[in-house]
Amino acid sequence: MMRILERASNFSKTVWSWLKAILTIGIGSALLTTGFLPWTTRIHYGPWSALYEYQTEMQLALAAFAGVCFATPIYLTTGRKFAAPTVIALIIMVAAAVLGILFGVAEERLETATIMGIIAFPLLAAVATKAANIASKKECDPNVYKKFRESFEAALDVKNFAELLLWTMAWASGGLGVFLLIKAIEMW
């Protein structure tokens, strides 16, 4: 009798862990699908396309697929709990939905290339700056200004060509990002 109860207990724990995983991934997928919908509605087929009749279904399927693809790794990397993946999915849903709506509104007033430049160039500048600091092997120094100054001076002395290239990329990207942001504000 004890073995039967022990097996039943083990079986119920296994079933509960699978049900919890399915429930958590399902809730996360539903939240993320909602967040990705503003992005997938940007996909349009012309009336001549064979997929024109199924445009809405394809947009929803793509958003659902993206939701599952994001929800599963979130669940697996957060310790297979219930609350953490759900909260992370909720945060990503809100961010994706807001960015999708803002991107759609901004694209009506600005060109896509301008928007992508506003996003990409400051990010490239930040990455290149960090890479230049790492290339100069000053990542252990907590003083950011000192690290920046030493790395920039080493690049100006052309001691390290890679560092010079990274700093040039960082400054050019930052400058282009600021230029595009000013142009976007003028066009808005």
Side-chain angles (χ1 to χ4, degrees):
M1 185 69 173
M2 281 304 262
R3 287 186 141 198
I4 294 172
L5 290 175
E6 186 178 320
R7 287 183 184 168
S9 174
N10 289 341
F11 178 74
S12 67
K13 287 179 185 176
T14 303
V15 168
W16 171 244
S17 67
W18 280 98
L19 287 175
K20 183 176 76 168
I22 292 169
L23 179 67
T24 306
I25 292 172
I27 290 172
S29 297
L31 290 171
L32 291 170
T33 298
T34 305
F36 292 139
L37 273 176
W39 291 99
T40 59
T41 55
R42 301 171 53 77
I43 299 170
H44 298 288
Y45 297 104
W48 58 89
S49 174
L51 300 173
Y52 182 71
E53 295 178 25
Y54 307 105
Q55 182 169 302
T56 305
E57 291 84 2
M58 291 196 59
Q59 291 169 349
L60 185 58
L62 185 60
F65 178 72
V68 170
C69 287
F70 276 85
T72 303
I74 289 171
Y75 174 74
L76 295 175
T77 57
T78 54
R80 298 181 181 181
K81 306 283 184 197
F82 177 76
T86 307
V87 170
I88 291 170
L90 181 66
I91 292 168
I92 293 173
M93 175 200 73
V94 170
V98 167
L99 285 174
I101 292 168
L102 288 177
F103 190 83
V105 170
E107 192 178 35
E108 289 178 9
R109 295 183 178 214
L110 306 172
E111 296 175 6
T112 304
T114 305
I115 295 170
M116 297 311 285
I118 290 170
I119 295 168
F121 284 125
L123 290 175
L124 182 62
V127 169
T129 303
K130 182 64 177 170
N133 284 330
I134 290 171
S136 65
K137 297 187 176 48
K138 310 222 178 9
E139 67 271 10
C140 297
D141 189 1
N143 186 346
V144 175
Y145 174 72
K146 182 180 174 187
K147 190 169 42 171
F148 171 80
R149 191 186 70 224
E150 288 176 2
S151 177
F152 194 65
E153 286 172 1
L156 287 178
D157 291 339
V158 194
K159 293 177 184 172
N160 186 345
F161 181 71
E163 198 170 339
L164 177 64
L165 183 65
L166 288 169
W167 277 113
T168 304
M169 189 184 316
W171 285 99
S173 300
L176 282 172
V178 169
F179 173 74
L180 286 175
L181 185 60
I182 291 169
K183 286 294 180 189
I185 291 170
E186 287 175 3
M187 291 169 68
W188 197 277

